Amino acid sequence: MRLSTKGRYAVTAMLDLTLNGGDGPVTLAEISETQGISLSYLEQLFAGLRGKQLVRGVRGPGGGYYLARPADEISIADIICAVDEWVEFTRCSGNKDCHGGNKCLTHNLWDELSRDIYTFLSDISLADLVARGGEIQAKCKKEAEKAGAKTKAA
Amino acid sequence: MRLSTKGRYAVTAMLDLTLNGGDGPVTLAEISETQGISLSYLEQLFAGLRGKQLVRGVRGPGGGYYLARPADEISIADIICAVDEWVEFTRCSGNKDCHGGNKCLTHNLWDELSRDIYTFLSDISLADLVARGGEIQAKCKKEAEKAGAKTKAA
DNA sequence: ATGTATCCTAGCGTTTTGCTGGGTTATAAT
DNA sequence: ATTATAACCCAGCAAAACGCTAGGATACAT
């Protein structure tokens, strides 16, 4: 498993898509504006997401992206693996060149952990995250209204 | 949270230390040899681990490193944070420049997820990993013996 | 005094990151 | 048909991170 800022950008963009995808497709320009990610970088990320069948793009005016599957069928692990392509770590899978078993052992332990992390992230869907953040959403909206009434309504 | 090959190296080295630290301190040269990590890179990693009070080094002949705390009191999150220093992501924590709440919302959702991952890794100790890999250890040793009887005994 | 090992620092090639800047296609609106 | 809009595609580029080499300094056991 691998987790970097690239994965963060992808998850953030997918969250934006989940939240705003209610009425028609969302353009990358909008996500770029809202989330502060460059348009071209978003395009790269979405190339990966599209390749893994997580999003679908429609071209032309009124176009944009929408989730290819319902939000509860897209896991965080799916998103991260789509953009941060999975690099296999262990080279000693076949037990060759094991230094008395110790090297192989630690590698296997890491693989075990790696699998655990993957499983953990596979059990969290976009819908889960949004649902879990319900109170955050309410609180955030309230404070945003309180802070500046001039901000454009969503 | 951040998870890269750097963190993998650190966890691997700490696992090695846990498994071989029974009889006296373990030298970085040994870990370098066994795990295939360059000595100097290990030194850098252990500088971080030492700074976070996870290991203790003794100098001179017969020296090396040993765990500063028992293996069940050192979590994977501790190790990763020690070498892969924690970068804070959200810049809009104070709800300023929220685009109608949406930017802030997605950032908070990411933070939520990030905290979840951290908590998950905090609950796994070195001792847990080693214990969980018990069957792997047995299997690995057996296969290693079967494969090549010439390999030096641990 | 000597060797061993941690400790420390500077630098270097490579990869990854996130971006700018150019294009081309497909489609909806005019 | 023309035009504007958006997805698509690709080359390159500065900055950072990765993993390493190299050379030293310091502490300690023999």
Side-chain angles (χ1 to χ4, degrees), chain B residues 7-84:
Chain B
R8 173 179 105 89
Y9 278 133
V11 171
T12 302
M14 288 293 278
L15 278 169
D16 195 299
L17 210 61
T18 307
L19 293 165
N20 297 64
D23 28 58
V26 182
T27 68
L28 294 188
E30 287 168 349
I31 301 179
S32 169
E33 166 81 11
T34 313
Q35 302 301 331
I37 313 172
S38 90
L39 178 60
S40 210
Y41 195 43
L42 276 175
E43 286 177 345
Q44 287 179 34
L45 296 179
F46 274 74
L49 295 170
R50 192 163 15 94
K52 289 292 169 56
Q53 316 285 347
L54 298 181
V55 295
R56 264 220 279 247
V58 290
R59 293 158 100 148
Y65 278 97
Y66 57 93
L67 298 182
R69 286 182 259 156
D72 61 343
E73 290 177 17
I74 297 178
S75 74
I76 305 300
D78 288 335
I79 299 170
I80 290 174
C81 286
V83 297
D84 233 8

Side-chain angles (χ1 to χ4, degrees), chain A residues 2 4-6 9 37-38 40-41 44 59 61 84:
Chain A
R2 185 150 169 225
S4 66
T5 55
K6 192 174 182 181
Y9 278 132
I37 311 170
S38 90
S40 210
Y41 195 44
Q44 287 180 36
R59 290 159 99 147
D84 233 6

Side-chain angles (χ1 to χ4, degrees), chain A residues 1-4 84-91 107 110-111 113-114 117, chain B residues 1-14 35-38 41-42 45 49 76 79-80 83-85:
Chain A
M1 197 70 225
R2 185 150 169 225
L3 191 50
S4 66
D84 233 6
E85 68 260 39
W86 188 276
V87 264
E88 202 52 60
F89 285 132
T90 48
R91 296 140 288 181
H107 282 183
W110 172 263
D111 283 350
L113 176 63
S114 194
I117 299 174
Chain B
M1 198 70 226
R2 185 151 170 223
L3 191 50
S4 66
T5 55
K6 193 175 181 181
R8 173 179 105 89
Y9 278 133
V11 171
T12 302
M14 288 293 278
Q35 302 301 331
I37 313 172
S38 90
Y41 195 43
L42 276 175
L45 296 179
L49 295 170
I76 305 300
I79 299 170
I80 290 174
V83 297
D84 233 8
E85 68 262 37

